[in-house]
Amino acid sequence: MEESHQNSVADPAETLNGAESASSASITSRAYARLKDDIISGALPPGSKLKIEKLRKTYNAGTSPIREALSLLTSDHLVERIDQRGFRVAISGTYLQLLKSRYIKALPLGR
């Protein structure tokens, strides 16, 4: 019976690493959501350079969560990765389609 009690005690290092991982994921999720909102709202216009250091300060997040969020936005075609230069807001049709759909949804039904 004593063995089963010892096996149920979690290793503090494992618990801490799990908490850090979950915390990092939520920071990434928040950065992703805020960046996406800013891109779709036009606060970050097409072609804008997305500098990691500025984004870290603006979104109060570390370098890794910001890079992960930008990678996710690249998958969504809202951000473009420029080789050896970083990231920028996409200029592609996907972004313009999003803006157009937001505009159409905002129109009164009678138009």
Side-chain angles (χ1 to χ4, degrees), residues 9-48:
V9 177
D11 180 357
E14 288 178 15
T15 303
L16 182 60
N17 289 339
E20 287 176 5
S21 178
S23 175
S24 178
S26 64
I27 293 169
T28 298
S29 296
R30 279 198 318 265
Y32 168 81
R34 289 186 60 201
L35 276 162
K36 184 175 181 179
D37 287 346
D38 286 349
I39 290 169
I40 292 172
S41 72
L44 293 170
S48 298

Side-chain angles (χ1 to χ4, degrees), residues 14-101:
E14 288 178 15
T15 303
L16 182 60
N17 289 339
E20 287 176 5
S21 178
S23 175
S24 178
S26 64
I27 293 169
T28 298
S29 296
R30 279 198 318 265
Y32 168 81
R34 289 186 60 201
L35 276 162
K36 184 175 181 179
D37 287 346
D38 286 349
I39 290 169
I40 292 172
S41 72
L44 293 170
S48 298
K49 285 189 174 184
L50 300 171
K51 297 187 179 198
I52 302 292
E53 192 59 33
K54 184 176 180 186
L55 296 174
R56 283 184 62 240
K57 291 176 183 174
T58 301
Y59 299 107
N60 194 28
T63 301
S64 292
I66 292 295
R67 285 188 178 280
E68 290 171 27
L70 290 171
S71 292
L72 292 169
L73 290 163
T74 299
S75 298
D76 293 344
H77 305 287
L78 293 174
V79 168
E80 297 171 342
R81 182 184 195 101
I82 306 165
D83 289 337
Q84 304 298 319
R85 295 185 159 225
F87 298 89
R88 72 174 175 200
V89 177
I91 303 173
S92 69
T94 303
Y95 176 80
L96 297 174
Q97 287 173 344
L98 281 170
L99 289 180
K100 187 176 179 181
S101 69

